[in-house]
Amino acid sequence: MDTLTYDAVVVGAGPGGYPCAIRLGQLGVKTLCIERENWGGVCLNVGCIPSKALITAGRKYEEARHNFDEMGIVLGGAPTLDMGKLQAWKGSIVKRLTGGVSTLLKANKVDQLVGEAKAIDPHTLEVTKPDGTVVRVQAKHVVLATGSRPIEIPGFSFKDEPVMDSTKALALAEVPRRLVVIGGGYIGLELGQMLNKVGAEVTVVEAQDSLLPGFDPEVTKLVARACKKSGIRVVLQAKALGWEQAEDGVVVRIQTAAGEERLAADKILVTVGRRPNAEPWASALGLQVERGQIVVDKQLRTSVPGVYAIGDVASGVMLAHKATHDGEVVAEVIAGHTAFNDARTVPAVVFTDPEIATAGLQEHEAAAKGYTLKVGRFPWVANGRALTQIETDGFVKVILDAADDRVLGVTIAGPHASDLISEAALAVEMDAEALDIGLTIHPHPTLGEAVMEAAKAALGEAIHIVNK
Ligand code: FAD
Protein backbone atom coordinates (compact mmCIF):
# COMPACT_ATOMS: atom_id res chain seq x y z
CA MET A 1 0.00 0.00 0.00
CA ASP A 2 1.32 3.47 -0.94
CA THR A 3 1.91 5.87 1.96
CA LEU A 4 1.66 9.65 1.47
CA THR A 5 3.15 11.97 4.08
CA TYR A 6 1.95 15.52 4.82
CA ASP A 7 2.22 18.14 7.55
CA ALA A 8 -1.57 18.51 7.55
CA VAL A 9 -4.46 16.57 6.09
CA VAL A 10 -8.00 17.94 5.86
CA VAL A 11 -10.85 15.42 5.53
CA GLY A 12 -13.82 16.94 3.70
CA ALA A 13 -13.88 19.78 1.17
CA GLY A 14 -16.97 21.69 2.31
CA PRO A 15 -16.99 25.37 3.34
CA GLY A 16 -15.03 24.28 6.42
CA GLY A 17 -12.47 22.00 4.81
CA TYR A 18 -11.55 23.70 1.56
CA PRO A 19 -10.91 27.22 3.00
CA CYS A 20 -8.92 25.56 5.80
CA ALA A 21 -6.76 23.73 3.23
CA ILE A 22 -6.34 26.91 1.14
CA ARG A 23 -5.23 28.89 4.21
CA LEU A 24 -2.82 26.09 5.20
CA GLY A 25 -1.39 26.26 1.68
CA GLN A 26 -1.05 30.04 1.95
CA LEU A 27 0.80 29.59 5.25
CA GLY A 28 3.28 27.17 3.63
CA VAL A 29 2.02 24.02 5.37
CA LYS A 30 2.30 20.90 3.16
CA THR A 31 -1.36 19.94 2.95
CA LEU A 32 -3.61 17.25 1.46
CA CYS A 33 -7.39 17.71 1.15
CA ILE A 34 -9.47 14.52 0.88
CA GLU A 35 -13.07 14.52 -0.43
CA ARG A 36 -15.24 11.49 -1.18
CA GLU A 37 -17.80 13.00 -3.52
CA ASN A 38 -18.58 16.73 -3.44
CA TRP A 39 -15.83 19.32 -3.78
CA GLY A 40 -17.47 22.30 -2.06
CA GLY A 41 -19.39 20.04 0.36
CA VAL A 42 -23.08 20.25 1.13
CA CYS A 43 -23.02 24.05 0.85
CA LEU A 44 -22.02 24.37 -2.80
CA ASN A 45 -23.56 21.13 -4.09
CA VAL A 46 -26.78 20.42 -2.19
CA GLY A 47 -27.19 23.21 0.34
CA CYS A 48 -26.76 26.98 0.49
CA ILE A 49 -26.05 27.72 -3.16
CA PRO A 50 -28.56 25.52 -5.04
CA SER A 51 -31.29 26.37 -2.52
CA LYS A 52 -30.70 30.09 -2.95
CA ALA A 53 -30.72 29.74 -6.74
CA LEU A 54 -34.17 28.13 -6.57
CA ILE A 55 -35.40 30.65 -3.99
CA THR A 56 -34.33 33.54 -6.22
CA ALA A 57 -36.23 32.02 -9.12
CA GLY A 58 -39.29 31.52 -6.93
CA ARG A 59 -39.22 35.17 -5.85
CA LYS A 60 -38.81 36.49 -9.37
CA TYR A 61 -41.63 34.25 -10.57
CA GLU A 62 -43.89 35.63 -7.85
CA GLU A 63 -42.84 39.19 -8.61
CA ALA A 64 -43.70 38.65 -12.25
CA ARG A 65 -47.13 37.37 -11.24
CA HIS A 66 -47.98 40.01 -8.67
CA ASN A 67 -45.71 43.07 -8.62
CA PHE A 68 -45.09 43.75 -12.28
CA ASP A 69 -48.70 44.70 -12.88
CA GLU A 70 -48.66 47.20 -10.00
CA MET A 71 -45.54 48.80 -11.53
CA GLY A 72 -47.14 49.00 -14.94
CA ILE A 73 -45.00 46.29 -16.50
CA VAL A 74 -47.17 44.27 -18.85
CA LEU A 75 -46.21 40.71 -19.73
CA GLY A 76 -47.55 38.86 -22.75
CA GLY A 77 -49.56 36.59 -20.42
CA ALA A 78 -49.19 34.79 -17.09
CA PRO A 79 -45.58 33.60 -16.57
CA THR A 80 -44.89 29.87 -16.73
CA LEU A 81 -42.03 27.93 -15.20
CA ASP A 82 -39.73 25.59 -17.11
CA MET A 83 -38.43 23.48 -14.23
CA GLY A 84 -35.94 21.67 -16.46
CA LYS A 85 -34.37 24.96 -17.50
CA LEU A 86 -34.37 26.22 -13.91
CA GLN A 87 -32.55 23.05 -12.78
CA ALA A 88 -30.02 23.43 -15.59
CA TRP A 89 -29.36 27.06 -14.59
CA LYS A 90 -28.98 26.04 -10.93
CA GLY A 91 -26.62 23.24 -12.00
CA SER A 92 -24.46 25.66 -13.99
CA ILE A 93 -23.91 27.82 -10.89
CA VAL A 94 -23.02 24.78 -8.77
CA LYS A 95 -20.60 23.56 -11.47
CA ARG A 96 -18.92 26.93 -11.71
CA LEU A 97 -18.40 27.23 -7.96
CA THR A 98 -17.32 23.62 -7.34
CA GLY A 99 -14.86 23.81 -10.23
CA GLY A 100 -13.43 26.92 -8.59
CA VAL A 101 -12.68 24.97 -5.40
CA SER A 102 -10.24 22.62 -7.16
CA THR A 103 -8.62 25.53 -8.99
CA LEU A 104 -8.09 27.46 -5.75
CA LEU A 105 -6.67 24.42 -3.94
CA LYS A 106 -4.24 23.83 -6.79
CA ALA A 107 -3.23 27.50 -6.94
CA ASN A 108 -2.40 27.35 -3.23
CA LYS A 109 -0.32 24.16 -3.67
CA VAL A 110 -2.76 21.95 -1.79
CA ASP A 111 -2.84 18.34 -3.02
CA GLN A 112 -6.27 16.81 -3.60
CA LEU A 113 -7.34 13.20 -3.20
CA VAL A 114 -10.73 11.76 -4.10
CA GLY A 115 -11.76 8.98 -1.73
CA GLU A 116 -13.38 7.95 1.53
CA ALA A 117 -11.07 8.43 4.50
CA LYS A 118 -11.07 6.48 7.75
CA ALA A 119 -8.88 6.75 10.83
CA ILE A 120 -6.29 4.17 11.76
CA ASP A 121 -4.72 6.25 14.53
CA PRO A 122 -4.54 10.03 15.25
CA HIS A 123 -1.85 10.52 12.62
CA THR A 124 -2.73 7.83 10.08
CA LEU A 125 -5.66 7.58 7.68
CA GLU A 126 -6.61 5.06 5.04
CA VAL A 127 -8.34 6.39 1.95
CA THR A 128 -10.36 4.17 -0.38
CA LYS A 129 -10.30 5.68 -3.86
CA PRO A 130 -13.23 5.36 -6.30
CA ASP A 131 -11.41 2.50 -8.11
CA GLY A 132 -11.23 0.54 -4.84
CA THR A 133 -7.50 0.98 -4.24
CA VAL A 134 -6.44 2.10 -0.78
CA VAL A 135 -3.72 4.59 0.13
CA ARG A 136 -2.32 5.34 3.52
CA VAL A 137 -1.86 8.97 4.54
CA GLN A 138 0.25 10.10 7.46
CA ALA A 139 0.19 13.62 8.89
CA LYS A 140 1.21 15.49 12.00
CA HIS A 141 -2.13 17.34 12.02
CA VAL A 142 -5.51 15.89 11.00
CA VAL A 143 -8.48 18.24 10.52
CA LEU A 144 -11.92 16.59 10.45
CA ALA A 145 -14.29 18.66 8.31
CA THR A 146 -16.72 15.87 7.50
CA GLY A 147 -19.94 17.89 7.84
CA SER A 148 -23.42 16.52 8.44
CA ARG A 149 -26.31 14.70 6.78
CA PRO A 150 -30.12 14.94 6.92
CA ILE A 151 -31.86 13.16 9.81
CA GLU A 152 -34.36 10.45 8.87
CA ILE A 153 -37.41 9.88 11.07
CA PRO A 154 -39.20 6.57 11.68
CA GLY A 155 -41.74 5.78 8.98
CA PHE A 156 -40.21 8.14 6.40
CA SER A 157 -37.31 6.48 4.59
CA PHE A 158 -35.52 8.69 2.07
CA LYS A 159 -35.24 5.54 -0.09
CA ASP A 160 -38.98 5.70 -0.76
CA GLU A 161 -39.79 7.72 -3.87
CA PRO A 162 -42.30 10.24 -2.42
CA VAL A 163 -40.16 10.94 0.66
CA MET A 164 -37.50 13.58 0.09
CA ASP A 165 -34.60 14.97 2.03
CA SER A 166 -33.39 18.46 1.05
CA THR A 167 -31.04 16.97 -1.56
CA LYS A 168 -33.88 15.24 -3.41
CA ALA A 169 -36.08 18.34 -3.12
CA LEU A 170 -33.39 20.51 -4.71
CA ALA A 171 -33.31 18.18 -7.72
CA LEU A 172 -37.07 17.97 -8.41
CA ALA A 173 -37.78 17.60 -12.12
CA GLU A 174 -41.25 19.06 -11.71
CA VAL A 175 -43.20 21.04 -9.15
CA PRO A 176 -45.26 18.67 -6.96
CA ARG A 177 -48.96 19.47 -6.93
CA ARG A 178 -49.24 18.91 -3.16
CA LEU A 179 -46.29 18.94 -0.76
CA VAL A 180 -46.17 18.12 2.94
CA VAL A 181 -43.11 19.52 4.71
CA ILE A 182 -42.24 17.83 8.00
CA GLY A 183 -40.20 20.26 10.09
CA GLY A 184 -40.76 24.03 10.16
CA GLY A 185 -37.10 24.98 10.56
CA TYR A 186 -35.19 27.09 8.07
CA ILE A 187 -34.54 24.45 5.40
CA GLY A 188 -38.14 23.23 5.30
CA LEU A 189 -39.58 26.73 5.20
CA GLU A 190 -37.15 28.03 2.57
CA LEU A 191 -37.86 25.12 0.21
CA GLY A 192 -41.56 24.93 1.10
CA GLN A 193 -42.12 28.61 0.36
CA MET A 194 -40.13 28.38 -2.88
CA LEU A 195 -42.20 25.44 -4.16
CA ASN A 196 -45.39 27.20 -3.06
CA LYS A 197 -44.44 30.30 -5.04
CA VAL A 198 -44.10 28.20 -8.19
CA GLY A 199 -47.42 26.45 -7.73
CA ALA A 200 -47.29 23.69 -5.09
CA GLU A 201 -50.00 23.45 -2.45
CA VAL A 202 -47.93 23.27 0.75
CA THR A 203 -48.63 22.10 4.31
CA VAL A 204 -45.92 22.49 6.96
CA VAL A 205 -46.05 20.18 9.97
CA GLU A 206 -44.03 21.32 13.00
CA ALA A 207 -43.71 19.51 16.34
CA GLN A 208 -43.12 22.65 18.40
CA ASP A 209 -45.51 25.54 19.04
CA SER A 210 -44.00 27.90 16.47
CA LEU A 211 -42.23 27.92 13.12
CA LEU A 212 -38.46 28.57 13.22
CA PRO A 213 -38.12 27.55 16.88
CA GLY A 214 -35.58 29.72 18.70
CA PHE A 215 -36.21 32.87 16.66
CA ASP A 216 -37.75 36.09 18.01
CA PRO A 217 -41.51 35.39 18.41
CA GLU A 218 -42.30 38.66 16.62
CA VAL A 219 -40.36 37.37 13.64
CA THR A 220 -41.84 33.89 13.62
CA LYS A 221 -45.33 35.42 13.72
CA LEU A 222 -44.45 37.50 10.68
CA VAL A 223 -43.29 34.40 8.77
CA ALA A 224 -46.42 32.51 9.86
CA ARG A 225 -48.55 35.39 8.55
CA ALA A 226 -46.69 35.40 5.24
CA CYS A 227 -47.25 31.64 4.92
CA LYS A 228 -50.96 32.06 5.60
CA LYS A 229 -51.23 34.89 3.07
CA SER A 230 -49.69 32.77 0.35
CA GLY A 231 -51.91 29.78 1.15
CA ILE A 232 -49.36 27.64 3.01
CA ARG A 233 -51.06 25.71 5.80
CA VAL A 234 -49.03 25.43 9.01
CA VAL A 235 -49.89 22.73 11.55
CA LEU A 236 -48.10 23.27 14.86
CA GLN A 237 -47.57 20.86 17.77
CA ALA A 238 -48.07 17.97 15.39
CA LYS A 239 -46.12 14.74 15.02
CA ALA A 240 -45.71 12.94 11.70
CA LEU A 241 -46.67 9.30 12.19
CA GLY A 242 -46.21 7.74 8.76
CA TRP A 243 -47.44 7.73 5.20
CA GLU A 244 -49.20 5.38 2.84
CA GLN A 245 -49.84 5.15 -0.85
CA ALA A 246 -53.27 6.41 -1.92
CA GLU A 247 -55.18 6.21 -5.20
CA ASP A 248 -54.16 9.76 -5.96
CA GLY A 249 -50.66 10.29 -4.52
CA VAL A 250 -50.00 9.57 -0.85
CA VAL A 251 -51.54 10.23 2.54
CA VAL A 252 -49.43 11.52 5.44
CA ARG A 253 -50.71 10.67 8.91
CA ILE A 254 -50.06 13.24 11.62
CA GLN A 255 -50.95 13.42 15.30
CA THR A 256 -52.28 16.80 16.42
CA ALA A 257 -53.77 17.97 19.71
CA ALA A 258 -57.20 17.40 18.13
CA GLY A 259 -56.41 13.82 17.10
CA GLU A 260 -55.06 12.04 14.03
CA GLU A 261 -55.26 13.88 10.71
CA ARG A 262 -54.60 12.63 7.18
CA LEU A 263 -52.97 14.97 4.69
CA ALA A 264 -53.15 14.28 0.96
CA ALA A 265 -49.86 14.87 -0.84
CA ASP A 266 -47.72 13.97 -3.82
CA LYS A 267 -44.34 14.52 -2.17
CA ILE A 268 -43.15 14.62 1.45
CA LEU A 269 -40.15 16.72 2.40
CA VAL A 270 -38.55 15.76 5.71
CA THR A 271 -36.40 18.54 7.18
CA VAL A 272 -36.16 17.84 10.89
CA GLY A 273 -32.48 18.62 11.31
CA ARG A 274 -29.02 17.40 10.38
CA ARG A 275 -26.77 14.81 12.05
CA PRO A 276 -23.01 15.50 12.27
CA ASN A 277 -20.77 12.96 10.49
CA ALA A 278 -18.83 12.37 13.71
CA GLU A 279 -18.95 8.59 13.62
CA PRO A 280 -16.85 6.50 12.98
CA TRP A 281 -14.11 9.06 13.73
CA ALA A 282 -15.18 9.45 17.34
CA SER A 283 -15.10 5.74 18.06
CA ALA A 284 -11.90 5.00 16.11
CA LEU A 285 -9.97 7.81 17.81
CA GLY A 286 -11.82 8.02 21.14
CA LEU A 287 -12.91 11.64 20.55
CA GLN A 288 -15.22 13.33 23.04
CA VAL A 289 -18.68 13.92 21.55
CA GLU A 290 -21.58 16.02 22.84
CA ARG A 291 -25.02 16.17 21.19
CA GLY A 292 -23.52 14.32 18.23
CA GLN A 293 -20.78 16.90 17.59
CA ILE A 294 -17.07 16.44 18.23
CA VAL A 295 -16.12 18.60 21.21
CA VAL A 296 -13.47 21.22 20.37
CA ASP A 297 -11.85 24.10 22.25
CA LYS A 298 -11.39 27.66 20.96
CA GLN A 299 -8.45 26.46 18.85
CA LEU A 300 -10.58 23.68 17.35
CA ARG A 301 -8.54 21.00 19.13
CA THR A 302 -10.39 17.79 19.93
CA SER A 303 -9.75 15.71 23.04
CA VAL A 304 -6.99 13.85 21.09
CA PRO A 305 -3.72 15.75 20.42
CA GLY A 306 -3.03 16.40 16.72
CA VAL A 307 -6.70 15.95 15.74
CA TYR A 308 -8.90 19.00 15.08
CA ALA A 309 -12.55 19.31 14.04
CA ILE A 310 -14.34 22.17 12.26
CA GLY A 311 -17.73 23.06 10.80
CA ASP A 312 -20.93 21.06 11.25
CA VAL A 313 -19.12 18.06 12.75
CA ALA A 314 -17.61 20.19 15.55
CA SER A 315 -19.20 22.04 18.49
CA GLY A 316 -21.40 25.03 17.58
CA VAL A 317 -24.03 26.08 15.09
CA MET A 318 -24.26 24.27 11.77
CA LEU A 319 -23.78 27.09 9.28
CA ALA A 320 -21.41 27.48 6.35
CA HIS A 321 -19.78 30.74 7.48
CA LYS A 322 -19.10 29.27 10.95
CA ALA A 323 -17.42 26.30 9.23
CA THR A 324 -15.23 28.63 7.16
CA HIS A 325 -14.24 30.70 10.19
CA ASP A 326 -13.34 27.52 12.10
CA GLY A 327 -11.25 26.40 9.13
CA GLU A 328 -9.30 29.64 8.89
CA VAL A 329 -8.61 29.70 12.64
CA VAL A 330 -7.40 26.11 12.75
CA ALA A 331 -5.05 26.72 9.82
CA GLU A 332 -3.38 29.51 11.82
CA VAL A 333 -3.17 27.25 14.88
CA ILE A 334 -1.54 24.45 12.87
CA ALA A 335 0.93 26.95 11.37
CA GLY A 336 1.98 27.82 14.93
CA HIS A 337 0.25 31.20 15.16
CA THR A 338 -1.77 32.41 18.13
CA ALA A 339 -5.37 32.22 16.98
CA PHE A 340 -8.69 31.51 18.66
CA ASN A 341 -12.26 31.16 17.55
CA ASP A 342 -13.48 33.92 19.85
CA ALA A 343 -16.14 35.44 17.60
CA ARG A 344 -18.88 37.12 19.63
CA THR A 345 -21.54 36.24 17.11
CA VAL A 346 -22.25 33.87 14.28
CA PRO A 347 -24.93 35.71 12.32
CA ALA A 348 -27.85 33.56 11.18
CA VAL A 349 -29.92 34.09 8.06
CA VAL A 350 -33.15 32.45 6.98
CA PHE A 351 -33.98 32.99 3.31
CA THR A 352 -37.71 32.85 3.83
CA ASP A 353 -40.17 35.46 2.63
CA PRO A 354 -39.67 37.80 4.43
CA GLU A 355 -35.97 37.13 4.99
CA ILE A 356 -34.82 36.87 8.60
CA ALA A 357 -31.36 37.67 9.91
CA THR A 358 -29.92 38.01 13.38
CA ALA A 359 -26.54 38.96 14.85
CA GLY A 360 -25.74 38.98 18.54
CA LEU A 361 -28.56 38.42 20.99
CA GLN A 362 -32.22 38.47 20.02
CA GLU A 363 -34.55 40.44 22.27
CA HIS A 364 -35.87 37.39 24.15
CA GLU A 365 -32.36 35.98 24.58
CA ALA A 366 -31.01 39.27 25.96
CA ALA A 367 -33.97 39.53 28.35
CA ALA A 368 -33.41 35.95 29.52
CA LYS A 369 -29.79 36.84 30.31
CA GLY A 370 -31.05 39.51 32.69
CA TYR A 371 -30.10 42.64 30.75
CA THR A 372 -32.22 45.75 31.09
CA LEU A 373 -32.95 46.59 27.47
CA LYS A 374 -33.60 49.50 25.19
CA VAL A 375 -35.15 48.27 21.95
CA GLY A 376 -35.34 50.32 18.77
CA ARG A 377 -37.68 49.20 16.03
CA PHE A 378 -37.98 50.62 12.54
CA PRO A 379 -40.64 49.29 10.16
CA TRP A 380 -39.97 48.88 6.44
CA VAL A 381 -43.14 50.82 5.58
CA ALA A 382 -41.27 53.94 6.73
CA ASN A 383 -38.27 53.29 4.48
CA GLY A 384 -38.42 54.87 1.03
CA ARG A 385 -36.28 52.27 -0.71
CA ALA A 386 -38.41 49.39 0.64
CA LEU A 387 -41.51 51.11 -0.75
CA THR A 388 -39.90 51.40 -4.19
CA GLN A 389 -39.23 47.66 -4.09
CA ILE A 390 -42.76 46.75 -2.90
CA GLU A 391 -41.13 45.01 0.09
CA THR A 392 -42.58 46.57 3.21
CA ASP A 393 -43.25 43.57 5.46
CA GLY A 394 -41.18 43.49 8.63
CA PHE A 395 -38.77 45.66 10.56
CA VAL A 396 -35.27 46.18 11.90
CA LYS A 397 -34.85 45.78 15.63
CA VAL A 398 -31.77 46.99 17.50
CA ILE A 399 -31.33 45.69 21.05
CA LEU A 400 -29.20 47.73 23.46
CA ASP A 401 -27.92 47.19 26.97
CA ALA A 402 -29.73 50.05 28.73
CA ALA A 403 -26.75 50.45 31.08
CA ASP A 404 -24.40 51.79 28.40
CA ASP A 405 -26.30 51.71 25.07
CA ARG A 406 -24.01 48.95 23.71
CA VAL A 407 -25.49 46.98 20.83
CA LEU A 408 -26.29 43.51 22.14
CA GLY A 409 -27.93 42.36 18.95
CA VAL A 410 -29.85 43.19 15.82
CA THR A 411 -32.75 41.27 14.30
CA ILE A 412 -33.95 42.06 10.80
CA ALA A 413 -37.06 40.72 9.10
CA GLY A 414 -37.59 41.97 5.58
CA PRO A 415 -35.92 42.80 2.27
CA HIS A 416 -32.24 41.91 1.98
CA ALA A 417 -31.98 41.11 5.69
CA SER A 418 -29.27 38.64 4.64
CA ASP A 419 -27.09 41.43 3.23
CA LEU A 420 -27.89 44.04 5.87
CA ILE A 421 -26.95 41.86 8.84
CA SER A 422 -23.19 42.17 8.23
CA GLU A 423 -23.22 45.75 9.52
CA ALA A 424 -24.89 44.47 12.68
CA ALA A 425 -22.35 41.65 13.04
CA LEU A 426 -19.54 44.21 12.83
CA ALA A 427 -21.27 46.37 15.45
CA VAL A 428 -21.55 43.43 17.84
CA GLU A 429 -17.94 42.32 17.21
CA MET A 430 -16.65 45.86 17.79
CA ASP A 431 -18.78 46.41 20.90
CA ALA A 432 -20.40 49.39 19.19
CA GLU A 433 -22.84 51.71 20.88
CA ALA A 434 -26.16 52.68 19.30
CA LEU A 435 -24.82 56.01 18.09
CA ASP A 436 -21.85 54.35 16.33
CA ILE A 437 -24.52 53.06 13.94
CA GLY A 438 -26.88 56.01 14.36
CA LEU A 439 -24.32 58.70 13.58
CA THR A 440 -22.72 56.82 10.69
CA ILE A 441 -23.98 58.46 7.53
CA HIS A 442 -25.92 55.82 5.62
CA PRO A 443 -26.54 56.53 1.92
CA HIS A 444 -30.03 57.48 0.76
CA PRO A 445 -32.27 55.98 -0.43
CA THR A 446 -31.21 52.57 0.83
CA LEU A 447 -32.46 49.76 3.00
CA GLY A 448 -29.43 50.34 5.24
CA GLU A 449 -31.03 53.54 6.50
CA ALA A 450 -33.50 51.37 8.44
CA VAL A 451 -30.62 49.91 10.49
CA MET A 452 -29.43 53.46 11.30
CA GLU A 453 -32.97 54.58 12.17
CA ALA A 454 -33.60 51.53 14.40
CA ALA A 455 -30.38 52.28 16.32
CA LYS A 456 -31.56 55.86 16.80
CA ALA A 457 -35.09 54.71 17.66
CA ALA A 458 -33.64 52.76 20.60
CA LEU A 459 -32.56 56.16 21.97
CA GLY A 460 -35.81 57.90 21.03
CA GLU A 461 -34.06 59.81 18.24
CA ALA A 462 -35.39 58.28 15.00
CA ILE A 463 -36.37 60.82 12.36
CA HIS A 464 -38.79 58.98 10.09
CA ILE A 465 -41.06 57.45 12.73
CA VAL A 466 -42.69 58.93 15.78
CA ASN A 467 -40.52 57.97 18.75
CA LYS A 468 -42.22 56.28 21.67
P1 FAD B 1 -20.12 19.84 4.53
O1 FAD B 1 -20.47 20.98 3.73
O2 FAD B 1 -21.13 18.88 4.98
O3 FAD B 1 -18.89 19.13 3.88
C1 FAD B 1 -18.32 17.97 4.41
C2 FAD B 1 -17.65 17.21 3.29
O4 FAD B 1 -16.93 16.12 3.86
C3 FAD B 1 -18.65 16.59 2.31
O5 FAD B 1 -18.38 17.05 1.01
C4 FAD B 1 -18.44 15.10 2.45
O6 FAD B 1 -18.55 14.41 1.22
C5 FAD B 1 -17.02 15.02 2.99
N1 FAD B 1 -16.74 13.80 3.79
C6 FAD B 1 -17.45 13.37 4.86
N2 FAD B 1 -16.89 12.23 5.34
C7 FAD B 1 -15.83 11.96 4.55
C8 FAD B 1 -14.86 10.91 4.54
N3 FAD B 1 -14.89 9.91 5.44
N4 FAD B 1 -13.90 10.94 3.60
C9 FAD B 1 -13.86 11.93 2.67
N5 FAD B 1 -14.75 12.94 2.63
C10 FAD B 1 -15.72 12.96 3.57
N6 FAD B 1 -25.74 27.26 5.78
C11 FAD B 1 -25.63 28.60 5.72
O7 FAD B 1 -24.75 29.17 6.39
N7 FAD B 1 -26.45 29.35 4.93
C12 FAD B 1 -27.43 28.78 4.18
O8 FAD B 1 -28.17 29.48 3.47
C13 FAD B 1 -27.57 27.37 4.22
N8 FAD B 1 -28.50 26.75 3.47
C14 FAD B 1 -28.59 25.40 3.48
C15 FAD B 1 -29.56 24.78 2.71
C16 FAD B 1 -29.68 23.41 2.69
C17 FAD B 1 -30.72 22.76 1.82
C18 FAD B 1 -28.79 22.62 3.49
C19 FAD B 1 -28.88 21.13 3.49
C20 FAD B 1 -27.82 23.21 4.28
C21 FAD B 1 -27.71 24.61 4.29
N9 FAD B 1 -26.77 25.26 5.08
C22 FAD B 1 -26.68 26.64 5.04
C23 FAD B 1 -25.87 24.52 5.97
C24 FAD B 1 -24.47 24.40 5.34
O9 FAD B 1 -24.59 23.74 4.10
C25 FAD B 1 -23.54 23.63 6.26
O10 FAD B 1 -23.50 24.27 7.52
C26 FAD B 1 -22.13 23.58 5.69
O11 FAD B 1 -22.10 22.94 4.44
C27 FAD B 1 -21.20 22.84 6.65
O12 FAD B 1 -19.91 22.83 6.11
P2 FAD B 1 -18.85 21.69 6.49
O13 FAD B 1 -17.61 22.04 5.75
O14 FAD B 1 -18.78 21.54 7.95
O15 FAD B 1 -19.48 20.34 5.97
Side-chain angles (χ1 to χ4, degrees):
M1 190 189 305
D2 287 345
T3 300
L4 308 170
T5 306
Y6 286 87
D7 291 333
V9 54
V10 181
V11 184
Y18 82 78
C20 173
I22 288 173
R23 188 71 192 124
L24 283 164
Q26 288 172 351
L27 292 165
V29 180
K30 192 182 175 219
T31 302
L32 173 71
C33 187
I34 304 168
E35 170 57 52
R36 64 180 172 201
E37 56 180 346
N38 280 330
W39 293 89
V42 167
C43 171
L44 298 194
N45 291 276
V46 289
C48 321
I49 296 298
S51 63
K52 267 80 253 183
L54 296 186
I55 287 165
T56 304
R59 284 185 190 167
K60 288 192 187 294
Y61 184 77
E62 187 178 62
E63 268 178 27
R65 280 172 58 217
H66 299 300
N67 294 353
F68 280 14
D69 183 49
E70 196 175 336
M71 289 176 172
I73 301 169
V74 182
L75 296 175
T80 54
L81 181 75
D82 182 338
M83 196 65 172
K85 212 164 168 184
L86 172 56
Q87 288 292 7
W89 170 70
K90 182 205 82 181
S92 71
I93 297 167
V94 169
K95 195 168 164 216
R96 190 166 169 169
L97 289 174
T98 52
V101 169
S102 287
T103 310
L104 286 169
L105 288 168
K106 213 173 181 177
N108 285 286
K109 300 190 172 52
V110 175
D111 288 343
Q112 301 167 51
L113 180 62
V114 178
E116 171 104 26
K118 69 171 188 185
I120 303 301
D121 65 49
H123 301 287
T124 313
L125 307 179
E126 267 181 20
V127 184
T128 307
K129 296 203 276 186
D131 65 5
T133 57
V134 179
V135 280
R136 193 163 268 232
V137 179
Q138 285 190 320
K140 201 166 156 205
H141 306 278
V142 172
V143 181
L144 301 176
T146 50
S148 63
R149 61 188 186 281
I151 294 177
E152 233 176 28
I153 51 172
F156 295 87
S157 166
F158 295 137
K159 289 197 187 92
D160 292 328
E161 192 272 325
V163 182
M164 307 186 291
D165 58 6
S166 53
T167 301
K168 272 167 106 177
L170 289 168
L172 276 168
E174 51 193 59
V175 179
R177 190 162 62 86
R178 297 160 306 176
L179 172 74
V180 169
V181 179
I182 301 171
Y186 84 94
I187 296 177
L189 279 183
E190 286 183 5
L191 295 176
Q193 276 191 331
M194 183 274 158
L195 288 166
N196 172 254
K197 284 182 195 300
V198 295
E201 197 181 287
V202 176
T203 304
V204 179
V205 178
E206 166 58 47
Q208 299 202 35
D209 60 3
S210 108
L211 293 173
L212 297 171
F215 279 85
D216 182 329
E218 213 182 332
V219 161
T220 59
K221 272 189 208 128
L222 198 72
V223 174
R225 216 170 55 217
C227 285
K228 196 170 173 194
K229 201 170 148 199
S230 58
I232 296 177
R233 182 173 170 225
V234 176
V235 189
L236 299 173
Q237 292 178 298
K239 190 170 181 265
L241 301 173
W243 67 278
E244 59 216 42
Q245 211 74 50
E247 238 173 62
D248 171 27
V250 299
V251 165
V252 181
R253 289 183 294 108
I254 61 168
Q255 183 70 47
T256 70
E260 198 175 307
E261 196 182 326
R262 294 164 72 82
L263 306 171
D266 298 291
K267 292 279 185 191
I268 310 160
L269 170 60
V270 180
T271 48
V272 294
R274 297 184 59 82
R275 178 159 290 129
N277 293 324
E279 290 293 336
W281 302 95
S283 48
L285 300 175
L287 306 174
Q288 196 191 336
V289 171
E290 258 172 34
R291 287 191 295 273
Q293 288 176 311
I294 298 170
V295 176
V296 291
D297 65 13
K298 283 186 184 309
Q299 292 193 308
L300 293 315
R301 296 177 197 273
T302 68
S303 52
V304 173
V307 181
Y308 309 78
I310 62 173
D312 282 8
V313 78
S315 316
V317 296
M318 293 198 199
L319 290 170
H321 40 283
K322 178 267 189 185
T324 302
H325 188 70
D326 280 357
E328 287 173 340
V329 171
V330 83
E332 301 290 337
V333 171
I334 289 172
H337 300 166
T338 307
F340 299 93
N341 189 347
D342 53 4
R344 287 179 173 204
T345 180
V346 180
V349 173
V350 184
F351 291 79
T352 41
D353 183 6
E355 272 186 11
I356 311 296
T358 70
L361 297 174
Q362 299 178 77
E363 186 178 355
H364 64 289
E365 294 168 334
K369 280 185 183 282
Y371 285 102
T372 305
L373 303 179
K374 283 185 192 167
V375 178
R377 210 172 162 290
F378 193 83
W380 289 111
V381 280
N383 175 273
R385 189 69 183 113
L387 284 166
T388 66
Q389 295 178 187
I390 319 184
E391 291 184 289
T392 51
D393 259 6
F395 52 83
V396 178
K397 203 191 245 191
V398 172
I399 298 116
L400 307 182
D401 181 348
D404 52 12
D405 291 345
R406 271 184 318 124
V407 179
L408 294 174
V410 176
T411 297
I412 306 177
H416 294 275
S418 54
D419 297 309
L420 295 168
I421 203 65
S422 296
E423 178 182 8
L426 185 66
V428 172
E429 281 300 333
M430 296 190 73
D431 217 3
E433 293 175 19
L435 284 181
D436 290 323
I437 301 176
L439 292 180
T440 298
I441 299 177
H442 285 62
H444 176 75
T446 62
L447 300 172
E449 288 174 286
V451 180
M452 173 182 71
E453 289 268 27
K456 290 203 263 195
L459 306 173
E461 296 175 16
I463 300 296
H464 292 95
I465 49 166
V466 177
N467 293 290
K468 290 199 180 125

